[in-house]
């Protein structure tokens, strides 16, 4: 079994955080800049070939973000853990610092009455594909994994008194309360913490809503 809880508390994965069912880490390249990031990415690619398990690598100045998931089974497995440990070892050898506090993953939620009626429109407009949910109409995803996913929240009745779009920002579980406090200090208000620590619903001064989310309380994956 390789659960999100186990991975989030694994002493060998202190560089990594679970976000939207994926393991993710960011490494600052510091004074080494882009060339240091490119060397790191190259060594990660070579090690991934050796392990026959390949992550997504986002090389920017001045950091590299690495994300891993066992795509063949659609969840985290022991292969992701082994790859993450190997990547952290490479980063340590190159003197790169992990920056887990910088990690996040953005989704857009849309309140709907019948997801099947609106999903084709948004799929066409955005150029997205059905998400990995069992209900294919429940979410859409960018096939290039560059833009925020769109998911449809089922409503019992139409809402006209507020916006129907809201943002879900998934952050590391150990920075969620800090992010919550910052939002409140910036003029936000807490709509509900009923679902915490999975998510908190906040609103700005005009009532526009957003959710701060973590992996906690959600389903857990398993695998070899």
């Amino acid at each position: 079994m390789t659960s999100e809880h186990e991975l989030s508390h694994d002493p060998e994965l202190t560089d990594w955080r679970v976000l939207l069912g994926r393991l993710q880490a960011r490494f600052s390249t510091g004074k080494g800049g882009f060339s240091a990031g490119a060397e790191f990415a190259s060594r990660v690619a070579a090690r991934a070939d050796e392990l026959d398990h390949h992550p997504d690598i986002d090389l920017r100045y001045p950091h590299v973000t690495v994300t891993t998931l066992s795509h063949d089974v659609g969840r985290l497995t022991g292969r992701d853990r082994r790859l993450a440990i190997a990547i952290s070892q490479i980063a340590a050898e190159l003197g790169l610092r992990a920056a887990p506090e910088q990690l996040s993953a953005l989704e857009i939620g849309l309140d709907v009455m019948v997801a099947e009626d609106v999903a084709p429109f948004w799929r066409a407009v955005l150029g997205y594909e059905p998400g990995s949910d069992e209900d294919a109409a429940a979410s859409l995803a960018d096939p290039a994994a560059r833009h925020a996913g769109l998911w449809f929240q089922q409503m019992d009745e139409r809402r006209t008194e507020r916006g129907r779009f809201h943002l879900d920002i998934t952050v590391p579980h150990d920075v969620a309360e800090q992010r919550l406090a910052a939002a409140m200090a910036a003029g936000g208000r807490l709509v509900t913490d009923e679902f915490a620590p999975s998510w908190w619903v906040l609103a700005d001064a005009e009532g526009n809503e957003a959710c701060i989310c973590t992996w906690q309380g959600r389903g857990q994956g398993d695998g070899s």
Side-chain angles (χ1 to χ4, degrees):
M1 298 290 289
T2 304
S3 71
E4 294 181 356
H5 178 273
E6 290 170 335
L7 292 171
S8 295
H9 294 83
D10 191 320
E12 294 191 87
L13 295 178
T14 57
D15 295 341
W16 299 78
R17 297 294 184 271
V18 177
L19 300 178
L20 298 181
R22 291 167 167 78
L23 266 180
Q24 188 176 109
R26 175 170 293 174
F27 299 94
S28 298
T29 52
K31 295 181 179 179
F34 194 80
S35 60
E39 179 182 358
F40 174 61
S42 177
R43 290 185 58 176
V44 168
R47 189 73 178 103
D49 281 342
E50 294 173 359
L51 294 173
D52 193 24
H53 191 52
H54 301 88
D56 294 328
I57 302 175
D58 183 6
L59 169 60
R60 297 175 183 257
Y61 181 85
H63 55 71
V64 180
T65 305
V66 188
T67 306
T68 180
L69 173 74
S70 295
H71 293 283
D72 57 335
V73 294
R75 62 178 182 269
L76 292 170
T77 70
R79 288 172 287 163
D80 299 294
R81 179 181 183 275
R82 290 188 288 272
L83 177 61
I85 291 171
I87 291 171
S88 287
Q89 290 172 344
I90 294 171
E93 291 168 3
L94 294 175
L96 306 185
R97 181 185 67 84
E101 71 282 355
Q102 297 179 8
L103 297 172
S104 64
L106 180 65
E107 294 180 291
I108 302 171
L110 174 61
D111 297 341
V112 299
M113 295 299 296
V114 183
E116 291 82 356
D117 289 349
V118 299
F121 170 82
W122 290 106
R123 179 177 178 181
V125 167
L126 298 172
Y128 278 15
E129 296 294 338
S132 58
D133 302 81
E134 293 183 5
D135 182 359
S139 65
L140 299 174
D142 176 9
R146 291 181 56 84
H147 302 307
L150 173 65
W151 69 280
F152 303 104
Q153 178 168 270
Q154 181 65 50
M155 295 288 99
D156 295 327
E157 58 184 27
R158 294 185 183 275
R159 289 182 173 175
T160 58
E161 76 284 359
R162 43 153 275 190
R164 296 174 64 185
F165 276 105
H166 72 274
L167 303 182
D168 287 344
I169 185 73
T170 298
V171 301
H173 67 281
D174 51 352
V175 302
E177 293 190 10
Q178 177 184 352
R179 186 69 63 91
L180 177 67
M184 301 282 281
R189 64 179 176 86
L190 179 65
V191 176
T192 180
D193 58 2
E194 176 184 356
F195 308 102
S198 290
W199 72 90
W200 292 260
V201 183
L202 304 172
D204 66 15
E206 296 187 359
N208 302 300
E209 294 184 0
C211 296
I212 294 177
C213 312
T214 76
W215 65 266
Q216 295 184 101
R218 300 185 175 192
Q220 298 180 352
D222 62 86
S224 58

